[in-house]
Amino acid sequence: MGRARGFAAALAFSMLVPTTVTGCSRFFGCVPEPPDGITVTDLAGVYTRPDGGRIELGEDGRYRASNLPGGRGRSEEGTWTLDLESESTEDLMLGDRQVWISGDREEPWLYRFDGDPDSCDLIEFHRIH
């Protein structure tokens, strides 16, 4: 009887708490939030990973990326958009790739999920100077 009651409580909780593509990861605090008031100008710059991944965000809304995880070493270019108010979960889009933001306005960093968002394994890109 206790097991059924626990399952019912978990099910009720899951229906009350909306989960999106990021699942429970932001709800339980294992995924960083975007900085308050961050702007396109704050984000413009070059972000890299130790494995050679690189994202360059221009203030004009264009981006260049290379060696992105899952991209098979290819380079790509396109437009990026910042939308912290959207119904979707991502903070910005690189073409059709979802990307999230953390850090602060002076030192933002970007991340994607490596696998299931609820596992909280992040692929991080940090800005270089």
Side-chain angles (χ1 to χ4, degrees), residues 114-125:
D114 188 8
D116 183 354
D118 292 334
S119 71
C120 292
D121 293 327
L122 305 180
I123 299 169
E124 299 178 13
F125 293 84

Side-chain angles (χ1 to χ4, degrees), residues 3-15:
R3 189 172 183 185
R5 185 173 286 159
F7 177 75
L11 181 61
F13 178 77
S14 70
M15 294 177 82

Side-chain angles (χ1 to χ4, degrees), residues 25-81:
S25 51
R26 274 200 172 153
F27 180 75
F28 290 118
C30 64
V31 175
E33 292 284 338
D36 288 335
I38 196 153
T39 66
V40 167
T41 301
D42 296 329
L43 288 168
V46 178
Y47 299 80
T48 62
R49 290 183 38 82
D51 66 2
R54 179 182 173 97
I55 299 172
E56 182 178 344
L57 300 178
E59 284 189 57
D60 63 355
R62 309 263 325 138
Y63 80 91
R64 278 182 255 190
S66 59
N67 297 319
L68 296 180
R72 298 183 186 106
R74 291 179 293 188
S75 296
E76 60 184 68
E77 295 183 9
T79 57
W80 69 279
T81 55

